Structures are given as C-alpha cells and as structure tokens.
Amino acid sequence: MTAAEQNIVPRQPPSSGSAGSPGDGDGTPPQDRRRTIRRRLITLTIIVLLIGIPAGYLVISAGQSRRSGKDKEAEASAQGLREDWPSGMQRRIFELPIPGNAIGVQYYETNNWKASRMYVKFRTTSAGLDRFLSGVGTGRAALETGKVTIAERDVKITGWYFGPGVDWAGTVHKNKKPRPTQSITVNMTDPAAPVVYVVSAATP
C-alpha cells in the first residue's frame, strides 16, 4: 500500500445529533417549529391588543363624559346664583328677554351631556312682566294661578322657595327643539312688583 492510499479516510454518515439533522424525522427542525409557535403567539397578542384597547378606551371615555357633565352641574349648583345679568348672548340662546327695568337679577347656567339650562330670577314691574312674557312668546293669560312650574330637581339646585303663603302663578312655554323651553313661575303677592323665576332648558 502506498503512502497516498494510507491517507484516504472513508466518509462517515452524519450522526443523528449533528447540526444538519432533520430533527424529529418530519422534515421540520425543532427550532423552526418553536419560531412558528412564537410568531403565532405574538400575532394573537397584537390582535387582542388592537381590538381590546380601543374598546376599553371608548367605555372609559363615555363614563368620564357622563361624570364630567354631572361634576359641572354640581359645581354650578355649589356656586349658587350670581348677582348679575346673563350676557346678551346667553339671553339670546335661552330666549330670556329680561326687561330693562328688572332689579335683583340673579342667574347661572349649567351644561351637561343631556341638556343646557339657564336659571334666572328677577323683580320687575307689572308692565315689565308683560314685556317679558310677550318677548318669550306667551302672555299673562297663560299664567295659571296657584301653579308652580319649576321642577323639583331645579328647586334643589337653586334653593328657590315655592311654599305656601305666596301668590304663585306659572306657565310652561314650549318650543320646538333645538329652541329652549321656559318654565316660568311668578310671585304675584305684590302685583306691582312681581318676582319672576325662570328655568330655560335647551336639549340637543
């Protein structure tokens, strides 16, 4: 045997544990299968997040909106009526033509997701009452003796008194939405100096 023949080593078949092995015999290496499972889990997680996060946000946002509206109304209630005239824009929006000779004017406005309300109280003259009612779109004939038209919820917010011992008269002037509806109650104990209470409510 020559020296060249002695250096030839027969080729050995690859062992089952070598890096190039087919793995479990189905042609898919174990590492590739783990990667596939990992990718599917990541994809599923992303889908869940994409669907779940927006839905959760909408629920939270809706709850916050409701709470915000209630908080604003409670804040206005805590502050009470302001000793001042509402602005010209407020009077136009809520259709409250307060007569120029009115005294002791008080007001405040509340807004929430259901409705906007303007609360107004003032004293005027008999002629001033007629001008106010006419400007709203109604008249003295619509006032019902002994009737209080301010709702209980509004009484709680304002602290207004509508108990016995006072000559009350009231009416509700309704308008087609989105125009406001005015609930008007008048203290007619002194006909020459009536005190007017109004809640003008506008709903979208």
Side-chain angles (χ1 to χ4, degrees):
M1 179 179 296
T2 65
E5 291 175 339
Q6 291 178 350
N7 291 331
I8 297 175
V9 178
R11 179 178 293 179
Q12 301 294 324
S15 64
S16 60
S18 65
S21 67
D24 53 8
D26 62 357
T28 303
Q31 290 184 354
D32 290 345
R33 174 167 292 181
R34 285 195 293 269
R35 289 196 190 97
T36 301
I37 294 173
R38 189 181 302 112
R39 281 197 300 269
R40 289 177 180 173
L41 288 175
I42 292 172
T43 302
L44 180 60
T45 302
I46 292 173
I47 293 172
V48 170
L49 291 175
L50 289 175
I51 296 174
I53 290 177
Y57 174 79
L58 290 174
V59 172
I60 294 171
S61 179
Q64 288 177 339
S65 177
R66 291 188 182 93
R67 288 194 297 271
S68 177
K70 292 179 181 179
D71 291 344
K72 287 181 180 178
E73 185 167 321
E75 181 181 354
S77 177
Q79 292 174 352
L81 295 168
R82 294 182 57 184
E83 298 278 348
D84 200 356
W85 283 59
S87 69
M89 180 176 291
Q90 288 174 314
R91 281 176 274 161
R92 286 192 297 272
I93 291 173
F94 290 95
E95 300 186 22
L96 294 171
I98 303 173
N101 65 351
I103 60 174
V105 180
Q106 301 177 344
Y107 84 97
Y108 70 77
E109 179 183 356
T110 64
N111 299 282
N112 60 36
W113 62 290
K114 286 185 177 180
S116 297
R117 287 181 173 83
M118 175 67 73
Y119 300 83
V120 174
K121 173 186 176 182
F122 62 89
R123 183 183 293 273
T124 185
T125 62
S126 179
L129 174 61
D130 288 332
R131 288 198 301 273
F132 171 74
L133 294 173
S134 176
V136 168
T138 183
R140 192 182 289 255
L143 294 175
E144 297 183 38
T145 302
K147 185 173 184 179
V148 174
T149 58
I150 307 299
E152 186 64 29
R153 70 174 300 281
D154 296 319
V155 172
K156 291 179 180 179
I157 290 174
T158 60
W160 288 338
Y161 171 81
F162 295 108
V166 179
D167 293 334
W168 299 111
T171 186
V172 176
H173 179 69
K174 295 183 178 181
N175 288 304
K176 186 176 180 180
K177 294 180 181 179
R179 293 180 61 192
T181 292
Q182 296 90 5
S183 298
I184 304 167
T185 298
V186 185
N187 179 346
M188 297 293 293
T189 304
D190 182 356
V195 180
V196 180
Y197 301 81
V198 190
V199 179
S200 181
T203 55

